[in-house]
Amino acid sequence: MSSPVDLLLITWNRREYVERTLENLLSSDDNFRLYCWDNGSKDGAADIISEARDERIVERHFSPVNVMQRYPTEWFLEKSKNEIIGKVDDDTLVPQGWIEKLSPLVSEYEKVGMVGCWTFW
């Protein structure tokens, strides 16, 4: 895959989750660019986002209040210019290589617009 997948990560007061999610995501060799939005966290989640160091993190936004999902998603859609985009929840540990497995499906089949995963049993 030549161009990276743009990913959005939104968090709000979920420090323990976002810490694990970021560590897992950034430990992979997957080709992505990450846009992070913190929704006014007061529990240290914003610090985790702020302190994360990886060249794949291209934008970080720190909202003073929780604006939920709509505004961060609109912000991401305005910023992202790649053919394939996605969202990773702050409580999701994606498997290694997941982008390389899913990207061809989205690119190759015109009727596939999004691939989602259910993380709760």
Side-chain angles (χ1 to χ4, degrees), residues 11-65:
T11 193
W12 177 64
N13 285 335
R14 298 189 78 180
R15 183 186 187 284
E16 291 82 17
Y17 285 112
V18 78
E19 184 172 36
R20 290 184 63 202
T21 296
L22 263 180
E23 181 181 326
N24 180 71
L25 189 60
L26 298 177
S27 72
S28 79
D29 293 330
D30 284 315
N31 188 16
F32 63 86
R33 297 178 345 142
L34 186 61
Y35 294 78
C36 298
W37 180 291
D38 180 80
N39 257 331
S41 295
K42 305 295 185 224
D43 69 344
D47 296 332
I48 299 297
I49 297 291
S50 179
E51 294 167 5
R53 295 291 171 253
D54 191 293
E55 63 188 26
R56 294 172 293 183
I57 301 173
V58 295
E59 294 262 355
R60 301 167 214 247
H61 183 87
F62 300 95
S63 176
V65 297

